[in-house]
Amino acid sequence: MEQWQKDLIGMIEAVTDEVGQFFLEINDMVDAFFEITEEITEEVQNALVADIDTFATLHEQFLQDLTEPFLEIYWELGDISEDIDPGFPYTVEATLEKNAACIGCGHYHGQVYSGNLLVCAMHPHGWDDESCPDWEKEIE
């Protein structure tokens, strides 16, 4: 083999070694980059979880501070409203003791307005006997 061929083969082997070494160094740099990235990700995740926990605690405290006065007022109004007749209508069911003729009647209204019970449109104060002449079965 001639000298130039030996030199060419030597150069090719040298280039091959250098390229192999280059890729090994690149591989090491990529591994180091991934390690740093994982560490940063873990730190960011831990910080984010801590911030979210802090925010949730502050949010819960804020809502509690915001709603507590309203709840206190609500409970106080509940105590007061027991003594006062409500101005809003409320329902009264027909029973055997009161408005027995209206049980199951489709005309029964049974709403109390300002303390006055409206039994039905035909008999606003109810019917005194056991059976009402206008009784009709309630439509289900």
Side-chain angles (χ1 to χ4, degrees), residues 100-116:
C102 302
I103 296 175
C105 180
H107 299 295
Y108 183 72
H109 184 64
Q111 295 284 321
V112 176
Y113 300 94
S114 298
N116 298 312

Side-chain angles (χ1 to χ4, degrees), residues 18-76:
E18 289 296 319
V19 169
Q21 184 64 31
F22 172 76
F23 282 115
L24 287 175
E25 290 175 7
I26 292 290
N27 189 34
D28 291 342
M29 286 193 310
V30 168
D31 288 344
F33 174 75
F34 280 125
E35 286 178 19
I36 291 172
T37 305
E38 286 177 1
E39 290 174 9
I40 291 173
T41 303
E42 188 174 319
E43 287 181 25
V44 168
Q45 183 179 5
N46 291 339
L48 188 61
V49 167
D51 288 346
I52 289 173
D53 287 343
T54 303
F55 175 76
T57 303
L58 290 174
H59 185 258
E60 182 179 330
Q61 183 64 40
F62 171 75
L63 288 177
Q64 185 176 0
D65 291 345
L66 182 67
T67 57
E68 191 171 313
F70 292 109
L71 290 174
E72 287 177 14
I73 292 170
Y74 175 76
W75 295 124
E76 289 175 10

Side-chain angles (χ1 to χ4, degrees), residues 14 16 26 35 73 91 93 97 108 111 125-126 139:
T16 303
I26 292 290
E35 286 178 19
I73 292 170
T91 304
E93 295 293 325
E97 294 81 28
Y108 183 72
Q111 295 284 321
H125 300 290
I139 298 173

Side-chain angles (χ1 to χ4, degrees), residues 87-105:
F88 294 104
Y90 59 93
T91 304
V92 174
E93 295 293 325
T95 63
L96 292 174
E97 294 81 28
K98 184 106 171 143
N99 299 315
C102 302
I103 296 175
C105 180

